[in-house]
Amino acid sequence: SNFKKSVNDFVENYRFEDFKEDWEPAVYLKALDRDNVEATIIYASWARYNCTQDDPKLQRSILNSYNEWMLETFSSYAPKRLFPAPMISILDVDLAVKDMTDYVKRGCKTVHFPTTILDSGYYEKKYEPLWATAADLDIPISVHANSSQGRPMKLHGVKKRAFDPVKYVLNANQNGLGQGAGWEFISNLMFSGVFDRYPSLKVVASEFKMCDAAHTYEMVDYNMGRLATYDSDRNVYKRSPSEYIRENV
């Protein structure tokens, strides 16, 4: 088809220097004008793969270097139209709080957290200062696809499929790349009572293909009610799950 041919031509002929929108703010703005976009939040592309790092000092240094480049190159060029979402290393919570505060003072409207945490989760009490800080700063916390702490990331189509294509079963989570990671982040905060302790806290899940949001909203109260039929006393959350989706997400 013509579409398949255009995709193949792009892949075969792609050169980084031909797409200056990625690194020249003037060209980026022209692209926004072409698409009738007045302003935008800019999320990290390749930089977010550094969430796989487990050395706190190294990871924070890498992410902060990227953040400074974005602020100095893009945000300063068009401060009323280009709003980078600085990536925050959560491996040292005290420094994460400091970085969040500093970036908001410099005009940032949100910050970008890793979506999930390998062998852990945001339900842990040690992350409490992050929610308190976000609420105090009155900013939403953003998460983005392909940026989970400590979880190895794999590029699409870099090797032959290990499974028999005939036996493939559709999976909305797409091996961690789809809705599942976004819902895991939201669930961590919802079911550990974070949204109850900080009712003004907002979160943004970006590029997770969460087309199932309407269905989830409609079914979550029923599903959680069934799951907790015999032990509802163990629930930490105080409101219906659908209320959190409506008011905090």
Side-chain angles (χ1 to χ4, degrees), residues 18 28 78 89 92 158-159 176 179 185 225 237:
D18 292 336
Y28 188 89
S89 173
D92 185 317
V158 295
K159 61 181 180 181
Q179 298 99 311
F185 171 74
Y237 58 93

Side-chain angles (χ1 to χ4, degrees), residues 68 92 191 236:
E68 289 301 317
D92 185 317
F191 297 126
V236 175

Side-chain angles (χ1 to χ4, degrees), residues 116-225:
T116 62
I117 307 168
L118 183 64
D119 299 327
S120 182
Y122 285 115
Y123 44 74
E124 292 197 27
K125 293 182 178 179
K126 66 180 180 180
Y127 298 114
E128 192 74 11
L130 302 179
W131 323 130
T133 300
D136 289 343
L137 295 172
D138 194 24
I139 59 166
I141 292 173
S142 293
V143 292
H144 192 286
N146 283 7
S147 54
S148 290
Q149 177 56 50
R151 196 181 303 277
M153 303 306 299
K154 297 180 180 179
L155 299 179
H156 321 304
V158 295
K159 61 181 180 181
K160 293 183 178 180
R161 291 173 290 183
F163 55 85
D164 183 347
V166 174
K167 301 177 181 178
Y168 181 68
V169 177
L170 292 175
N171 174 15
N173 192 27
Q174 294 184 357
N175 301 317
L177 301 179
Q179 298 99 311
W183 284 123
E184 182 175 339
F185 171 74
I186 293 166
S187 299
N188 282 180
L189 275 60
M190 183 188 301
F191 297 126
S192 65
V194 170
F195 290 137
D196 292 311
R197 296 191 294 278
Y198 306 98
S200 65
L201 180 63
K202 308 291 186 184
V203 298
V204 177
S206 177
E207 204 180 341
F208 286 100
K209 312 178 184 71
M210 295 175 78
C211 53
D212 62 339
H215 171 76
T216 300
Y217 176 81
E218 289 291 331
M219 295 297 298
V220 65
D221 295 342
Y222 170 76
N223 290 336
M224 291 308 300

Side-chain angles (χ1 to χ4, degrees), residues 1-199:
S1 66
N2 291 334
F3 176 76
K4 183 175 182 180
K5 181 179 184 303
S6 64
V7 170
N8 289 337
D9 288 345
F10 175 84
V11 172
E12 293 174 3
N13 300 304
Y14 174 83
R15 296 191 311 162
F16 175 76
E17 55 268 30
D18 292 336
F19 293 86
K20 296 182 179 181
E21 294 90 340
D22 289 342
W23 43 277
E24 281 195 9
V27 183
Y28 188 89
L29 285 175
K30 289 182 179 180
L32 294 188
D33 292 336
R34 178 195 64 207
D35 295 335
N36 295 314
V37 176
E38 178 64 27
T40 185
I41 299 290
I42 304 176
Y43 292 99
S45 183
W46 292 105
R48 69 185 190 271
Y49 284 81
N50 286 288
C51 288
T52 59
Q53 299 284 348
D54 57 9
D55 182 306
K57 188 174 181 180
L58 175 61
Q59 185 187 72
R60 181 170 180 257
S61 177
I62 294 172
L63 298 185
N64 283 2
S65 294
Y66 164 79
N67 295 337
E68 289 301 317
W69 176 75
M70 286 298 298
L71 288 167
E72 293 174 6
T73 304
F74 278 77
S75 184
S76 63
Y77 187 85
K80 295 183 178 181
R81 296 190 65 187
L82 303 180
F83 299 95
M87 296 196 69
I88 302 296
S89 173
I90 61 167
L91 296 176
D92 185 317
V93 173
D94 290 337
L95 289 177
V97 167
K98 177 183 182 302
D99 290 340
M100 291 170 66
T101 304
D102 289 346
Y103 287 129
V104 171
K105 287 181 178 178
R106 296 172 66 182
C108 296
K109 307 301 182 184
T110 185
V111 292
H112 177 179
F113 279 14
T115 309
T116 62
I117 307 168
L118 183 64
D119 299 327
S120 182
Y122 285 115
Y123 44 74
E124 292 197 27
K125 293 182 178 179
K126 66 180 180 180
Y127 298 114
E128 192 74 11
L130 302 179
W131 323 130
T133 300
D136 289 343
L137 295 172
D138 194 24
I139 59 166
I141 292 173
S142 293
V143 292
H144 192 286
N146 283 7
S147 54
S148 290
Q149 177 56 50
R151 196 181 303 277
M153 303 306 299
K154 297 180 180 179
L155 299 179
H156 321 304
V158 295
K159 61 181 180 181
K160 293 183 178 180
R161 291 173 290 183
F163 55 85
D164 183 347
V166 174
K167 301 177 181 178
Y168 181 68
V169 177
L170 292 175
N171 174 15
N173 192 27
Q174 294 184 357
N175 301 317
L177 301 179
Q179 298 99 311
W183 284 123
E184 182 175 339
F185 171 74
I186 293 166
S187 299
N188 282 180
L189 275 60
M190 183 188 301
F191 297 126
S192 65
V194 170
F195 290 137
D196 292 311
R197 296 191 294 278
Y198 306 98

